Structure formats: C-alpha cells, structure tokens
Amino acid sequence: MSDGEGPGAAAASGGAPWACMLLEGTPQERLADLQVTLATRPAGSDLDRRDDRGRLVSVILDGWACRQVSTLDGRRQIVGFIIGADGQAGTWTAPSGEREPVVRTLTACRVLTLRAGVLLALAQEHPQIGARLARSAQIERSRLHASLFNVGQRKARERIAYLLCDLAERASAAGEGDGGFWLPLKQQDIADALGMTSVHVNRVLQRFRAQGLVQIRKGAARIADRAALAQLCDYAQVAFDE
Amino acid sequence: MSDGEGPGAAAASGGAPWACMLLEGTPQERLADLQVTLATRPAGSDLDRRDDRGRLVSVILDGWACRQVSTLDGRRQIVGFIIGADGQAGTWTAPSGEREPVVRTLTACRVLTLRAGVLLALAQEHPQIGARLARSAQIERSRLHASLFNVGQRKARERIAYLLCDLAERASAAGEGDGGFWLPLKQQDIADALGMTSVHVNRVLQRFRAQGLVQIRKGAARIADRAALAQLCDYAQVAFDE
DNA sequence: CGCCGATTTGACGCGACTCAAAAGCCGTGG
DNA sequence: CCACGGCTTTTGAGTCGCGTCAAATCGGCG
C-alpha cells in the first residue's frame, strides 16, 4: 500500500508469514506445550482477543479478514484488510487498556492463536520473529496513513480505484500472477472501508465495469486496465514526503 | 482519543514526556557526545527525518505540530496532531524504505533531535524509555483508528465536535485546567485533518458558536458546553469492541 | 420451490464542495 | 499614523456528489 515497489517486492517481503518461521523453527511438542492453537474459523466470526487466561494474539494463515470499529447504531469502519499469508497478525496486542478494533473473518480462515506472553518470549528467542513483528507494525501504520488519506482526500471513484489497486497488489502477491485475483469482499465491506454507501459503491463499480477497467464477479476480480485505474487515483504517486 | 478515561488519566499517562526521562537520566556530557540537539523551530517548518549521517528522530518538547501526507496537486491530509509535552515523538522512524508522513510544526516548537541509532541504544539501556516508545506507538495507532472512523463514518458537524473534544482533552491535560485551552489551528488545518473544506469548517464552527457550544478566538478555545459537544459525536462512546 | 442475503436500479433531497468576493487582522514601511 | 500587501476568516449563491428510501432482481441453498 505504501511501498510502491510492485508485486515482486511485496512477494519477497511479505509473502512468507513469520508464523511459518515460528511453526517450522519450533518442535511440535514445544508448540503444544506453549498452547499454540490452530483452528479454522468460519466467515463472519470475530477473533477472540483474550480468554480466561489472558491476552491472545492471532495470526491469519489463509483467508481474508478485516479489522473493524463499529458502533451500536450500526456504523462500521473497516480500518484494514488482512490477507492470509501476507505476514500480518491479528490482534498484535496493546499493553494497557486501549480499546482495539475487532478482527473479523471475511472468509473461512485458518488461524493460529497463541498467548501474548508466549509470543513475546518467542520474539526474544528468535530475533527474526521480533523483527517481523516490528515490520508488520510499521506496514500497518503506513497503511493506516494511506487509508486516512484515501478516505479524507479522495472522492468515491478514486477511493475505490485506490483500494482495488492496493488489494490487487497484495492479493496477487500472495496468489496467482495473472491480472486476476481472489476478492471475497461484499460491496458493503468496500463501503465500510471507504466511508461510503454500498449503493454508491455499486454504482461506481458498475461504471468501472462499463468502462472496461475491472471485472468483478462472485468473489473474484480482475484488473483489466491497470494503468487507467492507477492513473485514476494516482496510485503509488502519493508524495509521502513533503 | 481512544482511552476514554478522562483528562485525569491522560495527564497521568502521557503528561510527562519520556524525553524528560532521557534528559534527566543522562549526564550532560554524554548527551553532547550522543549528538542530541535541542533547537527551536518556527511555525510552518518541516522536521528533518535524516541528515547526511542517517536517520533522525525528533521529539516535540512544546508547541504544536502535525503529521501530514500531501500530494503535488495541493491535497493535504493531516494524520495526527502532536501536542508538545504529551510524550509523542516526531518521526519514530521506519526501518525500511517506507514512506512516512512529514512532521510539520504548527507553532514555534522546541524540538529535540537525536539519531535513530542512538535512541535505539538508549532504549535498551533504559527499559523505561523503550516501554514509553512502545506505548507511544500504541496510542498513535489507536488515534489513527479513531481518526479513520471519524472521517469515514461521521458527518461534518460530528467530526469537528469529536476533534474538539479530543484536542481539548489532550491540550488541557498538558496545560490549564479550566475549560479553556490553547488551540493554535487554522480552520484550514482542521479541514485537512477531517477531510473537508475550510469553508465548511467555518460554517460549522459558526453554528457551534451560535449554539453556545464553544468559543474560539485567535488561537485559544474554550469548550462551553462539553456535554452537548460530546453527545453530538458520541465522544468516548465508540464501541471499539464489536 | 421458497427463503434470504447481495446486488441493482430509480427517484429525490440534502450536505458539502466550488467559485468568488468581501471583510477582518496583522506586520511593514512610507 | 495611515496606507499597503498578505493571511485568515466570513458570507453568498449555485451546483453536484453522494446519501437516503424503497422496491426489484438475482442468485445460492435447504
């Protein structure tokens, strides 16, 4: 989203989740000992951030999820998408009583859960893991800045174009290489991520299709005219400096 | 912004900047040795993030500043305000080539600058400093989430109300205790932080004044009817959980 | 087949942007 | 002391993007 080096670089940096390092670098019996759990959650479920014994950290191994903040009156803001196998963790917990957005699965997800304390210990044991965590935090912060710019400064059409470019880059880095990729979002999700109505998202997407910019059907998408889409929103053109 | 415990808690947690810990805990000659610099920057200047010798980290000791992302066509998004003496650092640097928002002063600021490497070393030497840095990062992330929600989900009037509540809480925690506080923002700054036009900011503020909610004049503000303002935007009512 | 959620489509209205110009507020210099 | 640019804040009029409300169509799925 913010490192504009293209799919290749993204694949190199984010492709192999640090969770794999953890799984491979640690003997099986040790994992059981540490109470590391691997489960499959259905779409639309919220990941727990703590259980009776303390804080938990989750890692999405595959599938899509999002972080979201919502209010009682039904408003929902998605503050970030999590694409399995891109190395991001779920809760990456706050030490004090900070209120955190919920992580909600958008598709079925294989998710690894471990205790916050255990993760800390592992991070100290394997400095690479710690580094990965730090880097994940950086990337996420960068994405937040980009999202805020997107929602605050661009208008509907540009916002969607940007989101599509961004997701395309991330998703295709973690998957197939042709222009097409796996996009399991409802229009309502896109709307909630971009601060607009699903009705309006629909209309914009329709226009994009009519113009031959994208093809979206049933959870899969394909950027037909990437250049045009990127140009529409100045993708990777944001001057973060000055 | 996100820890809804009121001014008291904010004062306790963020009031004493970790930079003071650094300044007090380290002998003078050592500081010089580490190339720690203390300078006063005028309003409207961007803080350097690196010099010829490497990455820099800045700490705003007093005054106001903001982090902003801007494009060549003049659009600007303020992604966060920095209020001197609330313990936040300036650049809090990214390890890799991530593009970062600029920190720009909004008033004259006393700013402490040190090398990223030196800060790292200090953090290891004084674990309290490391903890403070981690906590700062957390708070900032939390604020980003809240801002994204604010810009994405609320409408103009609510956005401004929220921003005012938030800034009032932060600013008065670091300053005077009566309802009034130091608010050196141009309407254009507020607009750029909230993703709206300065014209519209003006109109909304005008309405607020007419309704007796706030008083703003020449860099100083006073929340006249805090309850009403808070209720207008559900301040501290956001259900971060579910 | 019938239900339910997601996508579409249409009509309508308001909020917020745009364009433009006036008015207030300095600091500066004649 | 007042005139003079350069900001910022105000104010007005006109417009359009996007939200709102509502109903129809399209698919899956039991």
Side-chain angles (χ1 to χ4, degrees), chain B residues 82-145:
Chain B
I82 302 173
I83 303 180
D86 80 340
Q88 303 292 91
T91 310
W92 176 222
T93 184
S96 80
E98 300 293 335
R99 308 251 203 88
E100 284 282 306
V102 175
V103 174
R104 168 167 296 179
T105 57
L106 298 172
T107 69
C109 290
R110 269 175 45 231
V111 30
L112 193 76
T113 305
L114 50 163
R115 332 215 124 269
V118 171
L119 179 58
L120 250 319
L122 285 171
Q124 308 220 278
E125 194 173 325
H126 307 274
Q128 301 177 348
I129 291 181
R132 261 307 174 40
L133 286 176
R135 172 149 184 80
S136 274
Q138 281 299 341
I139 292 179
E140 200 190 316
R141 202 178 64 133
S142 236
R143 290 205 175 116
L144 281 170
H145 291 152

Side-chain angles (χ1 to χ4, degrees), chain A residues 3 16 18-19 28-29 70-71 78 99 117 166 181 191 203 208 230:
Chain A
D3 49 352
W18 53 269
Q28 277 297 331
E29 61 277 10
S70 45
T71 51
I78 291 180
R99 308 253 203 85
D166 181 35
F181 61 98
R203 285 194 242 263
F208 280 179

Side-chain angles (χ1 to χ4, degrees), chain A residues 92-161:
Chain A
W92 178 220
T93 184
S96 79
E98 299 294 333
R99 308 253 203 85
E100 284 283 306
V102 175
V103 174
R104 169 167 297 179
T105 58
L106 298 172
T107 70
C109 290
R110 270 174 46 231
V111 30
L112 193 75
T113 305
L114 51 163
R115 331 215 124 268
V118 171
L119 179 58
L120 250 316
L122 285 171
Q124 308 220 279
E125 195 173 326
H126 307 274
Q128 300 177 349
I129 291 181
R132 262 304 172 46
L133 286 177
R135 172 149 183 78
S136 274
Q138 280 299 341
I139 292 178
E140 199 192 315
R141 202 178 66 132
S142 236
R143 290 204 175 118
L144 280 170
H145 291 153
S147 288
L148 198 45
F149 183 94
N150 202 24
V151 175
Q153 298 303 125
R154 290 196 253 254
K155 49 190 55 171
R157 183 173 331 165
E158 305 169 304
R159 286 185 218 178
I160 295 187

Side-chain angles (χ1 to χ4, degrees), chain A residues 155 185-188 199 202-203 206 209:
Chain A
K155 49 190 55 171
L185 300 184
K186 290 183 284 193
Q187 295 182 350
Q188 182 65 57
V199 176
N202 184 324
R203 285 194 242 263
Q206 216 120 4
R209 273 182 288 220

